[in-house]
Amino acid sequence: MTDQKIYRASTTAPVNIAVIKYWGKRDAKLNLPTNSSLSVTLAQNDLRTHTTASCSAKYPAEDVLVLNGAPQDVTGARTQACFRELRALRKDLESKDSSLPPLSSYPLKIVSENNFPTAAGLASSAAGFAALVRAIANLYELPSNPTDLSRIARQGSGSACRSLFGGYAAWEMGTKDDGSDSVAYEVAPASHWPEMRACILVVSAEKKGVSSTTGMQTTVATSTLFAERARDTVPKRMKEMTEAIQKKDFEAFARLTMKDSNSFHATCLDTEPPIFYLNDVSRAAITAVNAINQAAGKIIAAYTFDAGPNAVVYYLQKDEKEVAGAFKALLESKDGWAGERGAAVEVNSTGAANFDEKSAGALQNGISRVILTGVGEGPIKIDEHLIDENGEPVHK
Amino acid sequence: MTDQKIYRASTTAPVNIAVIKYWGKRDAKLNLPTNSSLSVTLAQNDLRTHTTASCSAKYPAEDVLVLNGAPQDVTGARTQACFRELRALRKDLESKDSSLPPLSSYPLKIVSENNFPTAAGLASSAAGFAALVRAIANLYELPSNPTDLSRIARQGSGSACRSLFGGYAAWEMGTKDDGSDSVAYEVAPASHWPEMRACILVVSAEKKGVSSTTGMQTTVATSTLFAERARDTVPKRMKEMTEAIQKKDFEAFARLTMKDSNSFHATCLDTEPPIFYLNDVSRAAITAVNAINQAAGKIIAAYTFDAGPNAVVYYLQKDEKEVAGAFKALLESKDGWAGERGAAVEVNSTGAANFDEKSAGALQNGISRVILTGVGEGPIKIDEHLIDENGEPVHK
């Protein structure tokens, strides 16, 4: 008699924004990086992927993945690697305990939803693959810890490995050819330094630039400055950044964050042909952050940019009025201030007055929405399933 | 009886645009660079400084310099260094030949004019100091050759040392503390490769960014990628570029030119705080050049950017229609096509159609004028003086 049961498990997983950037692979198939990286995990109330993994002997033979209501291709090497590795771990358990249902042999059905607009251009693949791996691990009742799972999530999307942790997470590049030591770990939990905030300035949709997968490989192949970054600059900064977080030294954290973002984009520019992710709006955000710091007489805000023009500005809760308040004064008409966090930000017109006219104009014209968030927790197992008892997607 | 004579000598000197960039000093006082550099000298019909140097025992005691009708401060260390060095060479001559008038002891009066709008934001200091040094050397009848004089002009403005040569000129960084081996030399005369053209896309005036003097020292002090550029990247490129010019290999010339411009701007971005000279219009020019090369199926155009947003696009005469013609089709309403060179460019609408809409729009909105020029000769001694027989500035 066939097992008729629908097995389900759900999780949410966070977005992370690196402060020491991942750029460059030493092994494209295994997603092994040319340097270690470090990120802040952002709160899931603001940005998260919710994923339900399910499996059943009753399901049609093909694995299925639905993201935001749209079926996704699961035949890609990256998704396949995650499925394969997780099934192998489950199979191990099954071979040791014959009472376990043979879930590893059942087709998977996975439904996933983001609580933020994909159009925002926020790197959602980190949260997506972290949620996928965590949900299947829950479904399979794997005893694996987050670092074990990070080795798998990394193969889905490099930076996904850091989204298996809350707070402050690092991805150790590792040295082994099989990638077994290229894993993520917790630098500090969110509770260690819970005052960290982030204000994301989303730049109005512009044509997607060079994909990060293609871009980083071109950088590795053509930039003469890149090797220096991977070899000397980042290892030194990883140590300094870890220390800054341990000591809760915001000035050190901020300087390193800004320098490393600039260093990463510098190697993009040194690529042949050059890769530009920063545009004049990004540049205006940098100028505005510099103006905020100058007015404060110390560093209270730090910008960082991923492979796109959106600015992520980190600051501490105590400086909210000086940082987010100044942006609110300038950008109050944009989407994003209505939520609890946004409404709590005090408008700071005096602060906005420090922005030069050109930068202020570029931000007003070029920013489409603002997302207020802060450091947050890692994946959370939840009982709200996106697949019902009959194995059908739940339409919310 | 006092010598009542007004001594005069005049020269013109060219602008040069580097293809291997000078950025960073190892000695700020002597303008000794952290790497060698190489440039193309541009034709003086299009861009030049015209300078008359004069001296007389009758002149008031203070040295005077008038540029484009406006008296300039000559007390700065750079101008003083040029005056001092040139006077010392003259004094040497005088001490060996007592029949020579003691010009080294007479006050200097210098009048200088550019044939291009200063507002264009073209580095005019190179032409300016080359003309100043060359004119005074003529006035003093110094036997010095251009390389000797380049040691002096370098102290006025680093890149001025290359403007003492026509064609293709290099500035050897040298290793000595006193700078005596940090001089310019001719890589090839203009006649070796006379087909080289340049189309300068002048970006509408924007607030002057960080001065190159300040900027390069901040880069040296803070960029972790800069040392790599100075130590390994540039020395290798100097050899390759010299070879490309000797072989008249435009593709190699162009690739190196673009890579080196990007490398220079990458180290600017890696500076703390970051320095941005390229803006969205510059970026559009890069995209347009890439489109031209893609359409041609080979590299027929090369962009380069100095410490500002203006694009200089090098190409060969035979590709004029493909390169300048495409820009003319897009930018025909802008100033700069009226001259002989501009009028000769055939409009190439098919070529312009290869530009993507966004870049085309950015160029149309952001470019204020176009300057068409090409490789040209070094300083030329002329008899047209900007100071009359009575020692008064000539008002043209």
Side-chain angles (χ1 to χ4, degrees):
Chain A
M1 194 190 94
T2 324
D3 177 2
Q4 293 295 305
K5 203 173 156 191
I6 306 284
Y7 297 87
R8 297 178 297 167
S10 294
T11 192
T12 60
V15 163
N16 72 74
I17 299 287
V19 289
I20 303 291
K21 300 293 189 190
Y22 158 47
W23 194 252
K25 302 179 206 256
R26 60 191 164 89
D27 182 318
K29 187 168 159 280
L30 293 172
N31 272 349
L32 302 181
T34 46
N35 61 254
S36 299
S37 53
L38 201 153
S39 55
V40 178
T41 294
L42 299 182
Q44 297 181 54
N45 276 348
D46 308 306
L47 299 166
R48 58 138 183 74
T49 298
H50 175 185
T51 295
T52 297
S54 93
C55 65
S56 173
K58 295 199 316 186
Y59 284 166
E62 303 281 306
D63 296 330
V64 170
L65 171 60
V66 176
L67 172 62
N68 294 331
Q72 307 291 304
D73 178 17
V74 297
T75 64
R78 293 168 165 221
T79 308
Q80 285 298 313
C82 293
F83 287 177
R84 187 176 59 244
E85 297 254 10
L86 290 160
R87 279 191 165 114
L89 291 176
R90 170 69 189 183
K91 207 171 169 70
D92 252 19
L93 294 184
E94 291 163 5
S95 67
K96 285 171 192 152
D97 179 355
S98 61
S99 75
L100 291 176
L103 303 190
S104 66
S105 63
Y106 294 172
L108 283 162
K109 185 181 292 184
I110 298 160
V111 174
S112 206
E113 277 174 8
N114 296 329
N115 70 343
F116 54 92
T118 311
L122 292 162
S124 50
S125 63
F129 272 103
L132 177 107
V133 169
R134 185 72 261 183
I136 299 176
N138 292 349
L139 176 73
Y140 288 169
E141 298 183 332
L142 302 179
S144 316
N145 64 34
T147 290
D148 295 336
L149 295 179
S150 76
R151 193 181 48 78
I152 300 175
R154 183 203 75 224
Q155 296 174 61
S157 169
S159 54
C161 70
R162 296 185 311 246
S163 272
L164 290 164
F165 295 85
Y168 305 83
W171 172 12
E172 168 59 39
M173 66 176 286
T175 55
K176 295 188 185 164
D177 282 348
D178 68 357
S180 56
D181 59 348
S182 187
V183 294
Y185 60 91
E186 181 188 275
V187 173
S191 60
H192 166 71
W193 202 6
E195 301 86 359
M196 185 67 72
R197 296 289 171 271
C199 172
I200 307 178
L201 306 176
V202 180
V203 174
S204 311
E206 79 164 34
K207 208 180 121 209
K208 170 80 179 155
V210 176
S211 89
S212 55
T213 302
T214 310
M216 63 174 75
Q217 287 320 86
T218 315
T219 300
V220 172
T222 64
S223 166
T224 69
L225 306 179
F226 175 75
E228 171 69 28
R229 167 173 166 78
R231 191 181 55 231
D232 291 330
T233 303
V234 170
K236 192 158 170 282
R237 283 189 189 148
M238 284 295 291
K239 279 186 203 152
E240 293 170 346
M241 183 60 94
T242 300
E243 242 184 72
I245 290 167
Q246 283 164 348
K247 291 182 183 165
K248 302 195 269 186
D249 177 348
F250 186 82
E251 287 217 36
F253 169 90
R255 281 191 63 188
L256 289 163
T257 295
M258 294 188 280
K259 281 167 79 102
D260 202 70
S261 174
N262 293 329
S263 165
F264 150 48
H265 291 283
T267 66
C268 289
L269 178 48
D270 190 46
T271 300
E272 182 185 21
I275 302 168
F276 292 91
Y277 290 122
L278 307 181
N279 64 17
D280 284 358
V281 182
S282 317
R283 195 174 153 176
I286 289 176
T287 307
V289 167
N290 288 342
I292 287 169
N293 288 332
Q294 201 138 27
K298 59 181 177 178
I299 301 181
I300 59 171
Y303 55 78
T304 187
F305 298 83
D306 278 350
N310 297 339
V312 176
V313 180
Y314 285 116
Y315 59 95
L316 295 177
Q317 177 61 39
K318 70 180 175 60
D319 298 317
E320 183 172 80
K321 186 178 173 186
E322 276 63 43
V323 185
F327 285 115
K328 189 170 183 179
L330 186 72
L331 303 170
E332 202 170 0
S333 65
K334 311 292 177 183
D335 280 350
W337 301 105
E340 196 179 331
R341 287 199 202 254
V345 174
E346 204 175 332
V347 171
N348 177 2
S349 307
T350 320
N354 294 322
F355 299 158
D356 69 274
E357 204 178 327
K358 196 184 142 200
S359 301
L363 291 170
Q364 281 177 321
N365 289 327
I367 298 295
S368 60
R369 60 181 291 136
V370 173
I371 296 170
L372 290 160
T373 181
V375 65
E377 303 300 330
I380 298 164
K381 186 172 181 172
I382 58 173
D383 290 330
E384 190 193 342
H385 300 307
L386 297 171
I387 294 173
D388 68 19
E389 297 83 349
N390 304 315
E392 294 303 317
V394 174
H395 294 286
K396 289 208 294 191
Chain B
M1 195 191 93
T2 324
D3 177 1
Q4 293 295 305
K5 206 175 152 190
I6 305 285
Y7 297 88
R8 297 178 297 170
S10 294
T11 193
T12 60
V15 163
N16 72 75
I17 299 287
V19 289
I20 303 292
K21 300 294 188 189
Y22 158 47
W23 194 253
K25 302 179 205 257
R26 60 191 163 88
D27 182 317
K29 188 167 157 282
L30 293 171
N31 272 350
L32 302 180
T34 46
N35 60 255
S36 298
S37 54
L38 201 153
S39 55
V40 178
T41 295
L42 300 182
Q44 298 181 53
N45 276 348
D46 309 305
L47 300 165
R48 58 140 183 74
T49 299
H50 175 186
T51 296
T52 297
S54 93
C55 64
S56 173
K58 294 197 319 187
Y59 285 165
E62 303 281 307
D63 296 330
V64 171
L65 170 60
V66 176
L67 171 62
N68 294 331
Q72 307 290 305
D73 177 18
V74 296
T75 63
R78 294 167 164 220
T79 309
Q80 286 297 313
C82 293
F83 287 176
R84 188 175 58 243
E85 297 254 9
L86 291 160
R87 280 192 164 114
L89 291 175
R90 170 70 189 182
K91 208 171 169 70
D92 252 18
L93 295 184
E94 292 163 4
S95 68
K96 286 169 192 157
D97 179 353
S98 62
S99 75
L100 291 175
L103 303 191
S104 66
S105 64
Y106 295 173
L108 283 161
K109 186 181 290 182
I110 298 159
V111 175
S112 205
E113 276 175 5
N114 296 329
N115 70 342
F116 52 92
T118 312
L122 292 161
S124 51
S125 63
F129 273 103
L132 177 106
V133 168
R134 186 72 260 183
I136 299 175
N138 293 350
L139 176 73
Y140 288 169
E141 298 183 332
L142 302 179
S144 317
N145 64 34
T147 290
D148 295 336
L149 294 179
S150 75
R151 194 181 47 76
I152 300 174
R154 184 202 75 225
Q155 296 174 61
S157 168
S159 54
C161 69
R162 298 185 309 247
S163 272
L164 289 165
F165 295 86
Y168 305 83
W171 172 13
E172 167 59 39
M173 65 175 287
T175 55
K176 293 188 187 166
D177 282 347
D178 69 357
S180 56
D181 58 350
S182 186
V183 293
Y185 60 90
E186 181 189 274
V187 172
S191 59
H192 165 72
W193 202 6
E195 300 86 359
M196 186 66 73
R197 296 289 171 271
C199 174
I200 307 177
L201 306 176
V202 180
V203 174
S204 310
E206 80 165 33
K207 208 180 122 210
K208 171 78 178 155
V210 176
S211 90
S212 55
T213 302
T214 311
M216 63 174 76
Q217 288 320 85
T218 316
T219 300
V220 173
T222 65
S223 166
T224 69
L225 306 179
F226 176 75
E228 171 69 27
R229 166 172 167 77
R231 189 180 56 231
D232 291 331
T233 304
V234 169
K236 191 156 170 283
R237 283 189 189 148
M238 283 295 291
K239 279 187 203 150
E240 293 169 346
M241 183 61 90
T242 301
E243 243 184 70
I245 290 167
Q246 283 163 349
K247 292 183 182 165
K248 301 195 269 187
D249 177 348
F250 186 82
E251 287 217 35
F253 169 90
R255 279 190 65 188
L256 289 164
T257 295
M258 294 188 281
K259 282 166 78 100
D260 202 68
S261 175
N262 293 329
S263 164
F264 150 48
H265 291 283
T267 65
C268 289
L269 178 48
D270 190 46
T271 300
E272 181 186 20
I275 302 168
F276 293 91
Y277 290 123
L278 307 181
N279 64 18
D280 284 357
V281 182
S282 317
R283 194 173 153 178
I286 289 176
T287 307
V289 167
N290 288 343
I292 288 169
N293 289 332
Q294 201 137 27
K298 60 181 176 177
I299 301 181
I300 59 170
Y303 56 78
T304 187
F305 299 83
D306 278 350
N310 298 339
V312 176
V313 181
Y314 285 116
Y315 60 95
L316 295 177
Q317 178 60 40
K318 69 180 174 61
D319 298 317
E320 183 172 80
K321 187 179 172 183
E322 276 62 43
V323 184
F327 285 115
K328 189 172 183 177
L330 185 72
L331 303 170
E332 203 171 359
S333 65
K334 311 291 178 183
D335 280 349
W337 302 104
E340 197 180 328
R341 287 198 201 254
V345 173
E346 206 176 329
V347 171
N348 178 1
S349 307
T350 321
N354 294 322
F355 300 158
D356 70 273
E357 203 178 329
K358 194 182 145 203
S359 301
L363 291 170
Q364 282 178 320
N365 288 328
I367 299 294
S368 60
R369 60 182 290 134
V370 173
I371 296 170
L372 289 159
T373 182
V375 65
E377 304 300 330
I380 298 164
K381 186 173 179 170
I382 58 172
D383 290 330
E384 191 194 342
H385 300 306
L386 298 171
I387 295 173
D388 68 18
E389 297 84 350
N390 304 315
E392 295 302 318
V394 175
H395 294 287
K396 292 206 294 191

